[in-house]
Amino acid sequence: MEESPLYRWLHLLGLLALSYLVLKQVWTLLIGIKTHILSRWWRTNLKKKYGGWAVVTGATDGIGKAYAMELARRGFDVVLISRNVEKLQKVAQEIEKQSRRQTKIIQLDFTGGSEIYPKVEKALKDLDIGILVCSATLRVHQHDPQHGHQHSGEDQ
């Protein structure tokens, strides 16, 4: 019994679809192995790729602090920007002690408007900055007409 041309084309189409799905799964597996297993030993040299300094806003707490610590661990010198100078000094000392990287601190309140930018520009002027992490939150004061007083809210 002879196969019809339609049957052969459908057979070929099925093989191509199956091949595509198998290759897609193999590719996903290889990416997973590279990301979760090989990345422990095979790391991209971010400092070489992007420059010597990283700038982290909101660097004294939470995600900003975690980024600052990890970037220092990966070889970057770190500029820490936040409102609280005592917390900035504490995080800077922690980074310098743990990673032996340089730190620079800039005490800054981002609610200050455009007059803050010359201070930042002056502090960052001669640095080879490759990474910027914006993690600062802005604390704004709003008037609550229902209760007749002001309160602080978080504006991401």
Side-chain angles (χ1 to χ4, degrees):
M1 187 171 187
E2 189 176 312
E3 295 180 7
S4 71
L6 178 61
Y7 178 76
R8 283 190 225 147
W9 280 108
L10 289 175
H11 186 237
L12 179 62
L13 183 63
L15 284 174
L16 288 173
L18 181 62
S19 298
Y20 169 77
L21 292 174
V22 168
L23 286 173
K24 186 176 175 183
Q25 292 302 315
V26 168
W27 182 254
T28 302
L29 178 67
L30 291 174
I31 294 297
I33 289 170
K34 178 184 178 263
T35 302
H36 299 289
I37 296 171
L38 296 179
S39 66
R40 295 179 185 166
W41 303 282
W42 179 18
R43 292 186 182 231
T44 302
N45 186 342
L46 297 175
K47 186 174 178 179
K48 183 178 177 183
K49 188 173 183 177
Y50 295 111
W53 284 83
V55 176
V56 181
T57 67
T60 56
D61 293 301
I63 293 172
K65 181 179 178 183
Y67 264 106
M69 301 295 284
E70 180 64 19
L71 288 166
R73 192 179 72 76
R74 296 246 184 145
F76 283 91
D77 297 321
V78 184
V79 178
L80 307 167
I81 301 176
S82 192
R83 286 186 298 253
N84 188 312
V85 72
E86 290 84 19
K87 285 183 177 182
L88 281 166
Q89 290 168 342
K90 183 180 174 187
V91 173
Q93 289 172 354
E94 191 177 341
I95 287 173
E96 290 171 1
K97 182 179 179 184
Q98 288 180 4
S99 66
R100 304 199 193 302
R101 302 306 315 166
Q102 290 181 354
T103 61
K104 187 171 189 167
I105 62 172
I106 302 173
Q107 189 275 328
L108 190 69
D109 186 352
F110 282 100
T111 61
S114 61
E115 61 268 7
I116 67 171
Y117 297 117
K119 179 180 180 179
V120 174
E121 182 180 13
K122 181 180 178 187
L124 302 179
K125 185 178 179 183
D126 296 322
L127 301 179
D128 179 25
I129 299 168
I131 293 181
L132 170 64
V133 177
C134 297
S135 179
T137 58
L138 302 178
R139 188 161 303 215
V140 295
H141 295 282
Q142 299 172 337
H143 181 69
D144 185 354
Q146 184 178 8
H147 296 97
H149 66 284
Q150 288 190 349
H151 63 89
S152 291
E154 290 297 312
D155 181 12
Q156 299 290 335

